[in-house]
Amino acid sequence: MDVSGGRGQPRPGNDESAEHTGPEAPAPGGTGDAPTAPSAPTPADAKDARPEGPTPDAGAPAPESGTPQDTGAAPDHGPPAHGRDRAPEHPEPPRDRPARAPAGRPEHPDHPFAHSGSGKGQAPQRPEERRRGGLLMGRPFGVPVYVAPSWFLVAILITWVFGGQIDRVLPELGAASYLVSLFFAVAFYASVLVHELAHTLAALRFKLPVRRIQLQFFGGVSEIEKEAETPGREFVLAFVGPLLSLVLAGLFYLGLLAVDPSSVPGVLLAGLMVSNLIVAAFNLLPGLPLDGGRMLRAVVWAITGKPMTGTVAAAWVGRALAVCVLIGLPLLTQSGALGSDAVDNVGMDTVLDALLAAILAAIIWTGAGNSLRMARLREHLPELRARTLTRRAVPVESDTPLSEALRRANAAGARALVVVDADGVPVSLVREAAIVGVPEHRRPWVPVGTLAQDITDGMRVSAELAGEELLDALRATPATEYLVVEETGEIYGVLSAADVERAFVKAMARPS
């Protein structure tokens, strides 16, 4: 099942949290794969970011009046929603700043030179670097398989429910019926793993990277990091999961023919056959985030030629399915249409059916919304270009007073400082957060070299980087500023992670 994992959903467009990271998507229901989104840069280095003195003097660029300062309180970790998915608006630039940026450098009228409020910014870590996702079970085909803690709760529930059914069919087993039921729970999730491995192998066949497989509440998810390039591949990638579940159901049926249906093997094989049929049928429903929704998306994509149109259609069908599950499943159970006797009174079984329907509906509805956000992100991601986000920089020597360096930057219309050696080779970048922390009266006596961070290989990025390649480069070496260079090695300017983050949020907020 395709659930936009939301990994790395963009954080709100402010610089309030020192260690804010995007949330993970809600746990998917059923089975399937989940392409994941690249993460927006997140702020870091809160200690350096807090100003320790007055704001810059009139001779130095002042911070944005519309940018929130660091309050020490972390914002909510939810995805942009309820009015928070729009980028913050910024006031006009200070009048003492040049009206136009120098030739060859893009102008950023909404951000002054040294900082954007708190001046924090850092490339994000991948979600698995922060949280491994449960118990590592192995790495088939090089892809890590994790079992989430929620799986153990479901295993207990399956053991309890199915154990009672086995006890009614085979009363001679006694307490051993629950051991048989536990074996069924493990075997069922092994079937789910096979379902996910089908998605994974198809993705690897199409050269799509797979981050991990996770078995969790109500099934599993294969986290595929990129979208399929064609609707045909998208269709195949989605269809192989339910297909393998149907094949497993057929194999269990053949095994059932060879044993006594009233024996322990017969009961297990019958249960596994039915459960795999349910998994296949549920995932073939034509709405995101289910595999059938991805198949519908591929069909609409092939007809219209627009993947976003396919995503919108399949996501809204998914939301309609969520409503149908919420209302229809309890009604079907009450009417006896699912094979049980009709129930006239409201008892514990009715409450459990309603609760199950609500959980499934919530999972489908949330997954459909995540799929829409994922599609919008991938549609606008190419707009993030290092060349257009880079700030013009002026070279200064390490012993240059900060006040003099800021004067040169304002005169040149630049908004960043690069410390160079005697031969003009860049050696470090002056941190914008550190500039804010220097009181006005001390700036003539503070050399810029004391505020600079040495440039490592990972802090040199190409001006040609854009989209996911740019975000991958920032994730590889977390920092607040990066030196942007041309292919020839010539200095192009300085890229602030805060600027990339802000552009990321704006791209997410812009309608498709």
Coordinates of all heavy atoms in Angstrom, one line a residue, residues 186-269:
V186 N 2.5 -15.1 13.4 CA 3.8 -14.9 12.9 C 3.8 -15.3 11.4 O 4.4 -14.6 10.5 CB 4.8 -15.8 13.6 CG1 6.2 -15.8 12.9 CG2 5.0 -15.3 15.1
A187 N 3.1 -16.4 11.0 CA 3.0 -16.8 9.6 C 2.3 -15.8 8.8 O 2.6 -15.6 7.6 CB 2.3 -18.2 9.6
F188 N 1.2 -15.2 9.3 CA 0.5 -14.2 8.6 C 1.4 -13.0 8.3 O 1.4 -12.5 7.1 CB -0.7 -13.7 9.4 CG -1.4 -12.5 8.8 CD1 -2.0 -12.5 7.6 CD2 -1.3 -11.3 9.5 CE1 -2.6 -11.4 7.0 CE2 -1.9 -10.1 9.0 CZ -2.5 -10.2 7.7
Y189 N 2.2 -12.5 9.2 CA 3.1 -11.4 9.0 C 4.2 -11.8 8.1 O 4.8 -10.9 7.4 CB 3.5 -10.7 10.3 CG 2.6 -9.6 10.7 CD1 1.5 -9.9 11.5 CD2 2.8 -8.3 10.3 CE1 0.6 -8.9 11.9 CE2 1.9 -7.3 10.7 CZ 0.8 -7.6 11.5 OH 0.0 -6.6 11.8
A190 N 4.6 -13.1 8.1 CA 5.6 -13.5 7.1 C 5.0 -13.4 5.7 O 5.7 -13.0 4.7 CB 5.9 -15.0 7.4
S191 N 3.7 -13.7 5.5 CA 3.0 -13.4 4.2 C 3.0 -12.0 3.9 O 3.2 -11.6 2.7 CB 1.6 -14.0 4.3 OG 1.5 -15.3 4.6
V192 N 2.8 -11.1 4.9 CA 2.8 -9.7 4.6 C 4.2 -9.3 4.1 O 4.4 -8.4 3.2 CB 2.4 -8.9 5.9 CG1 2.7 -7.4 5.7 CG2 1.0 -9.2 6.2
L193 N 5.3 -9.9 4.8 CA 6.6 -9.6 4.3 C 6.9 -10.0 2.9 O 7.5 -9.2 2.1 CB 7.6 -10.3 5.3 CG 9.1 -10.1 4.9 CD1 9.5 -8.6 5.0 CD2 10.0 -10.9 5.9
V194 N 6.3 -11.1 2.5 CA 6.5 -11.5 1.1 C 5.8 -10.5 0.2 O 6.3 -10.2 -0.9 CB 5.9 -12.9 0.9 CG1 5.8 -13.3 -0.6 CG2 6.7 -14.0 1.7
H195 N 4.6 -10.0 0.6 CA 3.9 -9.0 -0.2 C 4.8 -7.8 -0.3 O 5.0 -7.2 -1.4 CB 2.7 -8.6 0.6 CG 1.9 -7.5 0.0 ND1 0.6 -7.7 -0.5 CD2 2.1 -6.2 -0.2 CE1 0.1 -6.5 -1.0 NE2 1.0 -5.6 -0.8
E196 N 5.5 -7.3 0.7 CA 6.3 -6.2 0.7 C 7.6 -6.4 -0.1 O 8.1 -5.5 -0.8 CB 6.7 -5.7 2.1 CG 5.5 -5.3 3.0 CD 4.7 -4.2 2.3 OE1 5.3 -3.4 1.6 OE2 3.5 -4.2 2.5
L197 N 8.1 -7.6 0.0 CA 9.3 -7.9 -0.8 C 9.0 -7.9 -2.3 O 9.9 -7.6 -3.1 CB 9.9 -9.3 -0.4 CG 10.6 -9.4 0.9 CD1 11.0 -10.8 1.3 CD2 11.8 -8.5 0.9
A198 N 7.8 -8.2 -2.7 CA 7.4 -8.1 -4.1 C 7.5 -6.7 -4.6 O 8.1 -6.4 -5.6 CB 6.0 -8.7 -4.3
H199 N 7.0 -5.7 -3.7 CA 7.2 -4.3 -4.1 C 8.6 -4.0 -4.1 O 9.1 -3.2 -5.1 CB 6.5 -3.5 -3.0 CG 5.0 -3.5 -3.1 ND1 4.2 -3.2 -4.2 CD2 4.1 -3.8 -2.1 CE1 2.9 -3.3 -3.9 NE2 2.8 -3.7 -2.7
T200 N 9.4 -4.4 -3.2 CA 10.8 -4.1 -3.1 C 11.6 -4.6 -4.3 O 12.4 -3.8 -4.9 CB 11.4 -4.6 -1.8 OG1 10.8 -4.0 -0.7 CG2 12.9 -4.3 -1.7
L201 N 11.4 -5.8 -4.7 CA 12.1 -6.4 -5.8 C 11.7 -5.6 -7.1 O 12.6 -5.4 -8.0 CB 11.8 -7.9 -6.0 CG 12.4 -8.8 -4.9 CD1 12.0 -10.2 -5.1 CD2 14.0 -8.7 -5.0
A202 N 10.4 -5.3 -7.3 CA 10.0 -4.5 -8.4 C 10.7 -3.2 -8.5 O 11.2 -2.7 -9.5 CB 8.5 -4.4 -8.5
A203 N 10.8 -2.5 -7.3 CA 11.4 -1.2 -7.2 C 12.9 -1.3 -7.6 O 13.4 -0.5 -8.3 CB 11.2 -0.6 -5.8
L204 N 13.6 -2.3 -7.0 CA 15.0 -2.5 -7.3 C 15.2 -2.8 -8.8 O 16.2 -2.4 -9.4 CB 15.6 -3.6 -6.4 CG 15.6 -3.3 -4.9 CD1 16.1 -4.5 -4.1 CD2 16.4 -2.0 -4.6
R205 N 14.3 -3.6 -9.4 CA 14.3 -3.9 -10.8 C 14.3 -2.6 -11.6 O 14.9 -2.5 -12.7 CB 13.2 -4.8 -11.2 CG 13.1 -5.1 -12.6 CD 14.3 -5.9 -13.2 NE 14.1 -6.2 -14.6 CZ 14.4 -5.4 -15.6 NH1 14.8 -4.1 -15.3 NH2 14.2 -5.8 -16.8
F206 N 13.5 -1.6 -11.2 CA 13.4 -0.3 -11.9 C 14.4 0.7 -11.4 O 14.2 1.9 -11.7 CB 11.9 0.2 -11.7 CG 10.9 -0.7 -12.3 CD1 9.6 -0.8 -11.7 CD2 11.1 -1.3 -13.5 CE1 8.6 -1.6 -12.3 CE2 10.1 -2.1 -14.1 CZ 8.9 -2.3 -13.4
K207 N 15.4 0.2 -10.6 CA 16.4 1.1 -10.1 C 15.9 2.2 -9.2 O 16.3 3.4 -9.3 CB 17.3 1.7 -11.3 CG 17.9 0.6 -12.1 CD 18.8 1.2 -13.1 CE 19.4 0.2 -14.1 NZ 19.9 -1.0 -13.5
L208 N 14.9 1.9 -8.4 CA 14.3 2.8 -7.4 C 14.8 2.4 -6.1 O 14.6 1.3 -5.6 CB 12.8 2.8 -7.5 CG 12.1 3.1 -8.8 CD1 10.6 3.0 -8.7 CD2 12.5 4.6 -9.2
P209 N 15.5 3.3 -5.3 CA 16.0 3.0 -4.0 C 14.9 2.7 -3.0 O 13.9 3.4 -3.0 CB 16.9 4.2 -3.6 CG 16.3 5.3 -4.4 CD 15.8 4.7 -5.7
V210 N 15.1 1.7 -2.2 CA 14.2 1.3 -1.1 C 14.9 1.6 0.2 O 15.9 1.0 0.5 CB 13.7 -0.1 -1.2 CG1 12.7 -0.5 -0.1 CG2 13.1 -0.4 -2.6
R211 N 14.3 2.4 1.0 CA 14.9 2.8 2.3 C 14.8 1.7 3.3 O 15.8 1.3 3.9 CB 14.3 4.0 2.8 CG 14.8 4.5 4.2 CD 14.2 5.8 4.6 NE 14.4 6.9 3.7 CZ 13.9 8.1 3.7 NH1 13.0 8.3 4.7 NH2 14.2 9.0 2.8
R212 N 13.6 1.1 3.4 CA 13.4 0.0 4.4 C 12.1 -0.6 4.2 O 11.2 -0.1 3.5 CB 13.6 0.5 5.8 CG 12.5 1.5 6.3 CD 12.6 1.9 7.7 NE 11.6 2.9 8.0 CZ 11.5 3.4 9.2 NH1 12.3 3.1 10.2 NH2 10.5 4.3 9.5
I213 N 11.9 -1.8 4.8 CA 10.5 -2.4 5.0 C 10.2 -2.4 6.5 O 11.1 -2.8 7.3 CB 10.5 -3.8 4.4 CG1 10.8 -3.8 2.9 CG2 9.2 -4.5 4.7 CD1 11.0 -5.2 2.3
Q214 N 9.0 -2.0 6.8 CA 8.6 -2.0 8.2 C 7.3 -2.8 8.3 O 6.3 -2.5 7.7 CB 8.4 -0.6 8.7 CG 8.2 -0.5 10.2 CD 8.0 0.9 10.7 OE1 7.3 1.6 10.1 NE2 8.7 1.2 11.8
L215 N 7.3 -3.8 9.2 CA 6.0 -4.5 9.6 C 5.5 -3.8 10.8 O 6.2 -3.6 11.8 CB 6.3 -5.9 9.9 CG 7.0 -6.7 8.8 CD1 7.2 -8.2 9.2 CD2 6.1 -6.7 7.5
Q216 N 4.2 -3.4 10.7 CA 3.6 -2.6 11.8 C 2.2 -2.9 11.9 O 1.6 -3.9 11.4 CB 3.9 -1.1 11.5 CG 3.4 -0.7 10.1 CD 3.8 0.7 9.7 OE1 2.9 1.4 9.3 NE2 5.1 1.0 9.8
F217 N 1.5 -2.0 12.6 CA 0.0 -2.2 12.9 C -0.7 -2.3 11.6 O -0.6 -1.5 10.7 CB -0.5 -0.9 13.7 CG -1.8 -1.1 14.2 CD1 -2.1 -1.9 15.3 CD2 -2.9 -0.4 13.6 CE1 -3.4 -2.0 15.8 CE2 -4.2 -0.5 14.1 CZ -4.4 -1.3 15.2
F218 N -1.5 -3.3 11.4 CA -2.3 -3.6 10.2 C -1.5 -3.8 9.0 O -2.0 -3.5 7.9 CB -3.3 -2.4 10.0 CG -4.6 -2.5 10.8 CD1 -4.9 -1.6 11.7 CD2 -5.5 -3.5 10.6 CE1 -6.0 -1.7 12.5 CE2 -6.6 -3.6 11.3 CZ -6.9 -2.7 12.3
G219 N -0.3 -4.4 9.1 CA 0.4 -4.8 7.9 C 1.8 -4.3 7.8 O 2.5 -4.3 8.8
G220 N 2.2 -3.8 6.6 CA 3.6 -3.4 6.4 C 3.7 -2.3 5.4 O 2.7 -2.0 4.7
V221 N 4.9 -1.8 5.2 CA 5.1 -0.7 4.2 C 6.5 -0.8 3.7 O 7.4 -1.1 4.5 CB 4.9 0.7 4.9 CG1 5.7 0.9 6.1 CG2 5.1 1.8 3.9
S222 N 6.7 -0.7 2.4 CA 8.0 -0.6 1.7 C 8.2 0.9 1.4 O 7.4 1.4 0.6 CB 8.0 -1.5 0.5 OG 7.7 -2.8 0.8
E223 N 9.2 1.4 2.0 CA 9.5 2.8 1.8 C 10.4 3.0 0.6 O 11.6 2.9 0.7 CB 10.1 3.4 3.0 CG 9.2 3.4 4.2 CD 9.8 3.9 5.5 OE1 10.9 4.5 5.4 OE2 9.1 3.8 6.5
I224 N 9.8 3.4 -0.6 CA 10.5 3.6 -1.8 C 10.8 5.1 -1.9 O 9.9 5.9 -1.8 CB 9.7 3.1 -3.0 CG1 9.4 1.6 -2.8 CG2 10.4 3.3 -4.3 CD1 8.5 1.0 -3.8
E225 N 12.0 5.5 -2.2 CA 12.4 6.8 -2.1 C 12.1 7.7 -3.3 O 12.1 8.9 -3.2 CB 13.9 7.0 -1.7 CG 14.3 6.4 -0.4 CD 15.7 6.6 0.0 OE1 16.4 7.2 -0.8 OE2 16.1 6.3 1.1
K226 N 11.9 7.1 -4.4 CA 11.6 7.8 -5.6 C 10.3 7.3 -6.3 O 10.0 6.1 -6.1 CB 12.8 7.8 -6.6 CG 14.0 8.5 -6.1 CD 15.1 8.5 -7.1 CE 16.4 9.3 -6.6 NZ 17.5 9.3 -7.6
E227 N 9.8 8.1 -7.2 CA 8.6 7.7 -7.9 C 9.0 7.0 -9.2 O 10.1 7.2 -9.7 CB 7.8 9.0 -8.4 CG 7.2 9.7 -7.2 CD 5.9 9.0 -6.7 OE1 5.5 8.0 -7.3 OE2 5.4 9.5 -5.7
A228 N 8.1 6.1 -9.7 CA 8.4 5.4 -10.9 C 8.4 6.5 -12.1 O 7.7 7.5 -12.0 CB 7.3 4.4 -11.2
E229 N 9.2 6.2 -13.1 CA 9.3 7.2 -14.2 C 8.2 7.1 -15.2 O 8.0 8.1 -15.9 CB 10.7 6.9 -14.9 CG 11.9 7.1 -14.0 CD 13.2 6.8 -14.7 OE1 13.1 6.3 -15.9 OE2 14.3 7.0 -14.2
T230 N 7.5 6.0 -15.3 CA 6.4 5.9 -16.3 C 5.2 5.3 -15.6 O 5.3 4.6 -14.5 CB 6.8 5.0 -17.4 OG1 7.0 3.6 -16.9 CG2 8.1 5.5 -18.1
P231 N 4.0 5.6 -16.1 CA 2.8 5.0 -15.5 C 2.8 3.5 -15.6 O 2.2 2.8 -14.7 CB 1.6 5.6 -16.4 CG 2.3 6.1 -17.6 CD 3.7 6.5 -17.2
G232 N 3.4 2.9 -16.6 CA 3.4 1.4 -16.7 C 4.2 0.8 -15.5 O 3.8 -0.2 -14.9
R233 N 5.4 1.4 -15.2 CA 6.1 0.9 -14.1 C 5.4 1.2 -12.8 O 5.5 0.4 -11.9 CB 7.5 1.7 -14.1 CG 8.4 1.2 -15.2 CD 9.8 1.9 -15.1 NE 10.7 1.4 -16.1 CZ 12.0 1.6 -16.1 NH1 12.5 2.5 -15.2 NH2 12.8 1.1 -17.1
E234 N 4.7 2.3 -12.7 CA 3.9 2.5 -11.5 C 2.9 1.5 -11.3 O 2.6 1.0 -10.2 CB 3.3 3.9 -11.6 CG 2.3 4.3 -10.5 CD 3.0 4.7 -9.2 OE1 4.2 4.7 -9.2 OE2 2.3 5.1 -8.3
F235 N 2.2 1.1 -12.4 CA 1.2 0.1 -12.3 C 1.8 -1.3 -11.9 O 1.2 -2.0 -11.0 CB 0.5 -0.1 -13.6 CG -0.8 -0.9 -13.6 CD1 -2.0 -0.4 -13.4 CD2 -0.7 -2.3 -13.8 CE1 -3.1 -1.2 -13.4 CE2 -1.8 -3.1 -13.7 CZ -3.0 -2.6 -13.5
V236 N 2.9 -1.7 -12.5 CA 3.5 -2.9 -12.1 C 4.0 -2.9 -10.7 O 3.8 -3.9 -9.9 CB 4.7 -3.2 -13.1 CG1 5.5 -4.4 -12.6 CG2 4.2 -3.4 -14.5
L237 N 4.6 -1.8 -10.3 CA 5.1 -1.7 -8.9 C 4.0 -1.9 -7.9 O 4.2 -2.5 -6.8 CB 5.8 -0.3 -8.8 CG 6.6 -0.1 -7.5 CD1 7.7 -1.0 -7.3 CD2 7.1 1.4 -7.5
A238 N 2.8 -1.4 -8.2 CA 1.7 -1.5 -7.2 C 1.0 -2.9 -7.3 O 0.6 -3.4 -6.3 CB 0.7 -0.4 -7.5
F239 N 1.0 -3.4 -8.5 CA 0.2 -4.7 -8.7 C 0.9 -5.9 -8.2 O 0.2 -6.9 -7.7 CB -0.1 -4.9 -10.2 CG -0.9 -6.1 -10.5 CD1 -2.2 -6.2 -10.0 CD2 -0.4 -7.1 -11.3 CE1 -3.0 -7.4 -10.2 CE2 -1.1 -8.2 -11.5 CZ -2.4 -8.4 -11.0
V240 N 2.2 -5.9 -8.1 CA 2.9 -7.1 -7.7 C 2.7 -7.5 -6.3 O 2.7 -8.7 -6.0 CB 4.5 -7.0 -7.9 CG1 4.8 -6.9 -9.4 CG2 5.0 -5.7 -7.2
G241 N 2.3 -6.6 -5.4 CA 2.1 -6.9 -4.0 C 0.8 -7.7 -3.9 O 0.8 -8.9 -3.3
P242 N -0.4 -7.2 -4.3 CA -1.6 -8.0 -4.3 C -1.5 -9.3 -5.1 O -2.0 -10.3 -4.7 CB -2.7 -7.1 -4.9 CG -2.1 -5.7 -4.6 CD -0.7 -5.8 -4.8
L243 N -0.7 -9.3 -6.2 CA -0.5 -10.5 -6.9 C 0.1 -11.6 -6.1 O -0.3 -12.8 -6.1 CB 0.3 -10.2 -8.2 CG 0.6 -11.4 -9.1 CD1 -0.7 -12.1 -9.6 CD2 1.5 -11.0 -10.2
L244 N 1.2 -11.2 -5.4 CA 1.9 -12.2 -4.5 C 1.0 -12.7 -3.4 O 1.0 -13.9 -3.0 CB 3.1 -11.6 -4.0 CG 4.4 -12.1 -4.6 CD1 4.7 -13.5 -4.4 CD2 4.4 -11.8 -6.2
S245 N 0.1 -11.8 -2.9 CA -0.8 -12.3 -1.8 C -1.8 -13.3 -2.4 O -2.2 -14.3 -1.8 CB -1.6 -11.1 -1.3 OG -0.7 -10.2 -0.6
L246 N -2.3 -13.1 -3.6 CA -3.2 -14.0 -4.3 C -2.5 -15.4 -4.6 O -3.0 -16.4 -4.4 CB -3.7 -13.5 -5.6 CG -4.7 -12.3 -5.5 CD1 -5.0 -11.7 -6.8 CD2 -6.0 -12.8 -4.8
V247 N -1.2 -15.3 -5.0 CA -0.4 -16.5 -5.2 C -0.3 -17.3 -3.9 O -0.4 -18.5 -3.9 CB 1.0 -16.2 -5.8 CG1 1.9 -17.4 -5.8 CG2 0.8 -15.6 -7.2
L248 N 0.0 -16.6 -2.8 CA 0.1 -17.3 -1.5 C -1.2 -17.9 -1.1 O -1.2 -19.0 -0.6 CB 0.6 -16.3 -0.4 CG 2.1 -15.8 -0.5 CD1 2.3 -14.7 0.6 CD2 3.0 -17.0 -0.3
A249 N -2.3 -17.2 -1.3 CA -3.6 -17.8 -1.0 C -3.8 -19.1 -1.8 O -4.3 -20.0 -1.2 CB -4.7 -16.8 -1.3
G250 N -3.4 -19.1 -3.1 CA -3.6 -20.3 -3.9 C -2.7 -21.4 -3.3 O -3.1 -22.6 -3.3
L251 N -1.5 -21.1 -2.9 CA -0.6 -22.1 -2.4 C -1.1 -22.7 -1.1 O -1.1 -23.9 -0.9 CB 0.8 -21.6 -2.2 CG 1.6 -21.2 -3.4 CD1 2.9 -20.5 -3.1 CD2 1.8 -22.4 -4.3
F252 N -1.7 -21.9 -0.2 CA -2.2 -22.4 1.0 C -3.5 -23.2 0.7 O -3.8 -24.2 1.4 CB -2.6 -21.2 1.9 CG -1.4 -20.5 2.5 CD1 -1.3 -19.1 2.5 CD2 -0.4 -21.2 3.1 CE1 -0.1 -18.5 3.0 CE2 0.8 -20.6 3.6 CZ 0.9 -19.2 3.6
Y253 N -4.2 -22.9 -0.3 CA -5.4 -23.7 -0.7 C -5.0 -25.0 -1.2 O -5.6 -26.1 -0.8 CB -6.2 -23.0 -1.8 CG -7.3 -23.8 -2.3 CD1 -8.5 -24.0 -1.6 CD2 -7.2 -24.4 -3.6 CE1 -9.5 -24.8 -2.1 CE2 -8.3 -25.1 -4.1 CZ -9.4 -25.3 -3.4 OH -10.4 -26.1 -3.9
L254 N -3.9 -25.1 -2.0 CA -3.4 -26.4 -2.4 C -2.9 -27.2 -1.3 O -3.1 -28.5 -1.2 CB -2.3 -26.2 -3.4 CG -2.7 -25.6 -4.8 CD1 -1.5 -25.4 -5.7 CD2 -3.7 -26.4 -5.5
G255 N -2.3 -26.6 -0.3 CA -1.8 -27.3 0.9 C -3.0 -27.8 1.7 O -3.0 -28.9 2.3
L256 N -4.1 -27.0 1.7 CA -5.3 -27.4 2.5 C -5.9 -28.7 1.9 O -6.5 -29.5 2.6 CB -6.3 -26.3 2.5 CG -7.6 -26.5 3.3 CD1 -7.3 -26.7 4.8 CD2 -8.5 -25.2 3.1
L257 N -5.8 -28.8 0.6 CA -6.4 -30.0 0.0 C -5.7 -31.3 0.4 O -6.3 -32.4 0.3 CB -6.3 -29.9 -1.6 CG -7.2 -28.8 -2.2 CD1 -7.0 -28.7 -3.7 CD2 -8.6 -28.9 -1.8
A258 N -4.4 -31.2 0.8 CA -3.6 -32.4 1.1 C -3.7 -32.8 2.6 O -3.1 -33.7 3.0 CB -2.2 -32.1 0.7
V259 N -4.4 -32.0 3.4 CA -4.5 -32.3 4.9 C -5.9 -32.4 5.3 O -6.9 -32.0 4.6 CB -3.7 -31.3 5.7 CG1 -2.2 -31.2 5.3 CG2 -4.4 -29.9 5.5
D260 N -6.1 -32.8 6.5 CA -7.5 -32.9 7.1 C -7.9 -31.5 7.5 O -7.2 -30.8 8.4 CB -7.4 -33.8 8.3 CG -8.8 -34.0 9.0 OD1 -9.8 -33.4 8.4 OD2 -8.9 -34.6 10.0
P261 N -9.0 -30.9 7.0 CA -9.4 -29.6 7.4 C -9.6 -29.4 8.9 O -9.5 -28.2 9.4 CB -10.7 -29.4 6.6 CG -10.6 -30.3 5.5 CD -9.9 -31.5 6.0
S262 N -9.9 -30.4 9.6 CA -10.2 -30.3 11.0 C -9.0 -30.5 11.9 O -9.1 -30.5 13.1 CB -11.3 -31.3 11.4 OG -10.8 -32.7 11.2
S263 N -7.8 -30.7 11.3 CA -6.6 -30.8 12.0 C -5.9 -29.4 12.2 O -6.4 -28.4 11.6 CB -5.6 -31.7 11.2 OG -5.2 -31.1 10.0
V264 N -4.9 -29.4 13.0 CA -4.2 -28.2 13.3 C -3.6 -27.6 12.0 O -3.8 -26.4 11.7 CB -3.1 -28.3 14.3 CG1 -2.2 -27.1 14.4 CG2 -3.7 -28.6 15.7
P265 N -2.9 -28.4 11.1 CA -2.4 -27.8 9.9 C -3.5 -27.3 9.0 O -3.4 -26.3 8.3 CB -1.7 -29.0 9.2 CG -1.3 -29.9 10.4 CD -2.4 -29.8 11.3
G266 N -4.7 -28.0 9.0 CA -5.8 -27.6 8.2 C -6.3 -26.3 8.6 O -6.6 -25.4 7.8
V267 N -6.5 -26.1 9.9 CA -7.0 -24.8 10.4 C -6.0 -23.7 10.1 O -6.4 -22.6 9.7 CB -7.2 -24.9 11.9 CG1 -7.6 -23.5 12.5 CG2 -8.3 -25.9 12.2
L268 N -4.7 -23.9 10.3 CA -3.7 -22.9 10.0 C -3.7 -22.5 8.5 O -3.7 -21.3 8.1 CB -2.3 -23.4 10.4 CG -2.0 -23.4 11.9 CD1 -0.7 -24.0 12.2 CD2 -2.1 -22.0 12.5
L269 N -3.7 -23.5 7.6 CA -3.7 -23.3 6.2 C -5.0 -22.5 5.8 O -4.9 -21.6 4.9 CB -3.6 -24.6 5.4 CG -2.2 -25.3 5.5 CD1 -2.2 -26.7 4.9 CD2 -1.1 -24.4 4.9

